[in-house]
């Protein structure tokens, strides 16, 4: 059903950024796997689910407010089990969430496209389509959303650290530092909650998601990497300190 054109793929390398997190909601396994493969090769972080109910749970898992989502873009099929793509899109917009939504659907009539856009989708692409076109549309939606919201989201400053939420950029003592998506989200959580003590389990739930399956020591590893990038002397941290028996505190 889906004709993913992977030719010319090298011509679009590096178009994505590792800091953009995309939710793919597609019930056909073969299409879902191809979308994940193509987007990850472009540098995006991808979460893929097979039905609307699971997609809604993913959207709400790490959101502190209904209008906040742990994703920068949603790629959404319309014909989904449990909760349809139209209903999911309508519900997110009802909550006041403005995350870009790209509908991918086998429905190709003008009526279908208009209906998808009227319930709140930002763009609509019909199957079959090429991966090149999909990536280009994703980039355009992400760029447009970033430009529309950048003016409303000021930089967050804590001592020598400046975090730019909409640019996914961090500077330390006037120099930009390169953070992975997890490192950035950890720092963003820390800097928005100075002096708060976080247990490892709380950090896993907020940054990795409640469905994370793995060793909780991954938090310690990411904290160590963050210290190496933020601290003058990582062995004597001033920003991220360990609270023995509890967890970590920022500031």
């Amino acid at each position: 059903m889906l004709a993913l054109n992977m030719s010319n793929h090298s011509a679009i390398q590096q178009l994505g950024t590792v800091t953009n997190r995309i939710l793919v909601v597609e019930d056909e396994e073969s299409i879902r796997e191809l979308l994940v493969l193509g987007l990850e090769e472009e540098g995006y972080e991808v979460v893929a689910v097979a039905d609307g109910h699971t997609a809604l749970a993913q959207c709400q898992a790490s959101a502190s407010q209904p209008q906040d989502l742990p994703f920068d873009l949603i790629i959404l099929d319309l014909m989904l089990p449990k909760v349809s793509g139209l209903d999911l899109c309508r519900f997110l917009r009802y909550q006041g969430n403005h995350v870009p939504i790209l509908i991918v659907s086998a429905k190709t009539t003008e009526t279908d496209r208009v209906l998808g856009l009227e319930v709140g989708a930002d763009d609509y692409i019909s199957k079959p389509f090429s991966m090149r076109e999909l990536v280009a549309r994703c980039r355009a939606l992400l760029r447009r959303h970033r430009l529309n919201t950048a003016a409303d989201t000021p930089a967050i400053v804590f001592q020598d650290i400046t975090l730019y939420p909409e640019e996914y950029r961090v500077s330390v003592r006037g120099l930009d530092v390169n953070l992975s998506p997890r490192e950035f989200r950890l720092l963003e959580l820390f800097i928005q909650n100075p002096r708060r003590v976080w247990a490892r389990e709380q950090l896993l739930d907020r940054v990795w998601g409640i469905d994370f399956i793995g060793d909780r020591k991954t938090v310690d590893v990411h904290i160590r990497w963050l210290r190496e990038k933020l601290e003058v002397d990582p062995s004597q941290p001033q920003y991220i300190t360990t609270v023995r028996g509890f967890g970590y505190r920022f500031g």
Side-chain angles (χ1 to χ4, degrees), residues 2 4 12 15-16 20 22 35 39 42 44 72-76 99-105 107-108 113 117 121-146:
L2 176 60
L4 284 179
I12 53 175
L15 292 185
N20 288 132
I22 297 177
L35 287 171
L39 291 168
E42 296 301 326
Y44 295 107
D72 304 295
L73 173 70
I74 297 177
I75 297 177
L76 181 64
V99 62
I101 297 176
L102 170 61
I103 288 178
V104 290
S105 178
K107 294 184 175 183
T108 59
R113 292 195 299 273
L117 295 173
D122 297 274
D123 199 0
Y124 192 111
I125 184 171
S126 300
K127 302 175 184 177
F129 55 85
S130 72
M131 198 66 206
R132 183 184 182 92
E133 180 181 4
L134 182 92
V135 170
R137 287 175 183 254
C138 288
R139 290 187 66 225
L141 288 174
L142 289 165
R143 182 172 59 249
R144 186 187 312 155
H145 183 68
R146 185 165 57 247

Side-chain angles (χ1 to χ4, degrees), residues 38-39 130 161 191 206 210:
L39 291 168
S130 72
I161 299 175
I191 205 169
R206 293 293 295 270
I210 60 175

Side-chain angles (χ1 to χ4, degrees), residues 78-126:
L78 289 184
M79 296 180 288
L80 296 169
K82 300 183 180 179
V83 177
S84 73
L86 285 176
D87 286 341
L88 179 60
C89 183
R90 187 181 292 112
F91 179 74
L92 291 174
R93 295 304 186 233
Y94 175 78
Q95 286 190 314
N97 198 287
H98 301 292
V99 62
I101 297 176
L102 170 61
I103 288 178
V104 290
S105 178
K107 294 184 175 183
T108 59
T109 69
E110 180 181 5
T111 301
D112 292 322
R113 292 195 299 273
V114 170
L115 180 60
L117 295 173
E118 284 186 343
V119 298
D122 297 274
D123 199 0
Y124 192 111
I125 184 171
S126 300

Side-chain angles (χ1 to χ4, degrees), residues 22-26 31-32 35-36 39 46-50 73-76:
I22 297 177
L23 176 65
V24 172
V25 192
E26 169 61 62
I31 298 177
R32 189 169 64 249
L35 287 171
V36 172
L39 291 168
V46 184
V47 174
V49 299
L73 173 70
I74 297 177
I75 297 177
L76 181 64

Side-chain angles (χ1 to χ4, degrees), residues 34-249:
L34 285 170
L35 287 171
V36 172
L37 175 63
L39 291 168
E40 286 184 340
E41 287 187 357
E42 296 301 326
Y44 295 107
E45 181 183 353
V46 184
V47 174
V49 299
D51 63 81
H53 184 268
T54 306
L56 184 58
Q58 283 284 340
C59 288
Q60 296 177 328
S62 302
S64 58
Q65 298 293 332
Q67 66 271 22
D68 297 330
L69 280 189
F71 300 101
D72 304 295
L73 173 70
I74 297 177
I75 297 177
L76 181 64
D77 189 18
L78 289 184
M79 296 180 288
L80 296 169
K82 300 183 180 179
V83 177
S84 73
L86 285 176
D87 286 341
L88 179 60
C89 183
R90 187 181 292 112
F91 179 74
L92 291 174
R93 295 304 186 233
Y94 175 78
Q95 286 190 314
N97 198 287
H98 301 292
V99 62
I101 297 176
L102 170 61
I103 288 178
V104 290
S105 178
K107 294 184 175 183
T108 59
T109 69
E110 180 181 5
T111 301
D112 292 322
R113 292 195 299 273
V114 170
L115 180 60
L117 295 173
E118 284 186 343
V119 298
D122 297 274
D123 199 0
Y124 192 111
I125 184 171
S126 300
K127 302 175 184 177
F129 55 85
S130 72
M131 198 66 206
R132 183 184 182 92
E133 180 181 4
L134 182 92
V135 170
R137 287 175 183 254
C138 288
R139 290 187 66 225
L141 288 174
L142 289 165
R143 182 172 59 249
R144 186 187 312 155
H145 183 68
R146 185 165 57 247
L147 291 174
N148 288 341
T149 58
D152 300 326
T153 309
I156 304 172
V157 179
F158 185 91
Q159 297 182 15
D160 292 333
I161 299 175
T162 304
L163 184 143
Y164 303 87
E166 295 302 328
E167 298 179 42
Y168 294 94
R169 182 167 64 89
V170 174
S171 68
V172 181
R173 293 176 287 279
L175 299 176
D176 283 355
V177 295
N178 184 28
L179 301 184
S180 71
R182 299 292 190 203
E183 292 167 354
F184 185 91
R185 295 181 192 282
L186 264 176
L187 179 59
E188 185 175 29
L189 183 63
F190 281 146
I191 205 169
Q192 289 175 340
N193 300 273
R195 307 299 298 172
R196 173 173 172 173
V197 177
W198 295 89
R200 291 181 180 86
E201 291 79 7
Q202 292 175 314
L203 293 173
L204 283 173
D205 288 348
R206 293 293 295 270
V207 178
W208 279 261
I210 60 175
D211 296 326
F212 174 77
I213 299 176
D215 194 334
R216 68 175 191 166
K217 289 184 179 179
T218 188
V219 173
D220 302 328
V221 174
H222 282 76
I223 292 293
R224 186 177 73 247
W225 290 342
L226 259 183
R227 283 172 171 165
E228 291 174 353
K229 297 176 180 180
L230 302 179
E231 306 283 358
V232 174
D233 182 359
S235 64
Q236 297 183 9
Q238 301 299 309
Y239 290 118
I240 306 174
T241 55
T242 301
V243 181
R244 193 172 300 278
F246 291 95
Y248 296 100
R249 180 175 58 214

